[in-house]
Amino acid sequence: MMLLENCPVCSGMVKKEVEKILRGGNHTAVLKVSAEVCLSCGERLYSVETVRRFENIRAKLKRQETEDFQPIGQSFRVR
């Protein structure tokens, strides 16, 4: 991952573990990943490998291939 000294939006960046929520079809996945996070605005930058992982997970969610994922609860829509 290329480390940036300054946020492309405003300020300085630090490497952190963050929680990312991904959606695909009617399913949602939550995962922890490493990202560069701006201390001022919260902008997140992910490595190319991490973005590819996101794409893979979203595709699996859309195809309902969730057998490798650990269920953690249910989601509900409130009208």
Side-chain angles (χ1 to χ4, degrees):
M1 176 194 293
M2 182 178 80
L3 298 178
L4 295 177
E5 215 171 282
N6 293 312
C7 172
V9 177
C10 65
S11 186
M13 306 291 285
V14 295
K15 190 171 185 171
K16 291 178 77 175
E17 284 288 311
V18 297
E19 194 170 80
K20 177 72 174 172
I21 298 173
L22 301 173
R23 291 178 182 82
N26 291 325
H27 298 291
T28 303
V30 179
L31 60 152
K32 289 194 180 213
V33 294
S34 181
E36 292 290 318
V37 181
C38 177
L39 295 172
S40 185
C41 72
E43 178 75 15
R44 293 180 179 181
L45 301 177
Y46 302 100
S47 70
V48 172
E49 296 83 18
T50 300
V51 172
R52 285 190 185 123
R53 184 174 177 209
F54 293 164
E55 291 169 353
N56 184 310
I57 292 169
R58 281 189 185 108
K60 284 184 172 186
L61 291 170
K62 277 185 121 171
R63 293 189 306 261
Q64 298 185 31
E65 296 174 3
T66 58
E67 57 276 350
D68 294 340
F69 302 156
Q70 176 187 8
I72 57 172
Q74 295 181 356
S75 297
F76 301 92
R77 178 175 295 151
V78 178
R79 296 178 195 215

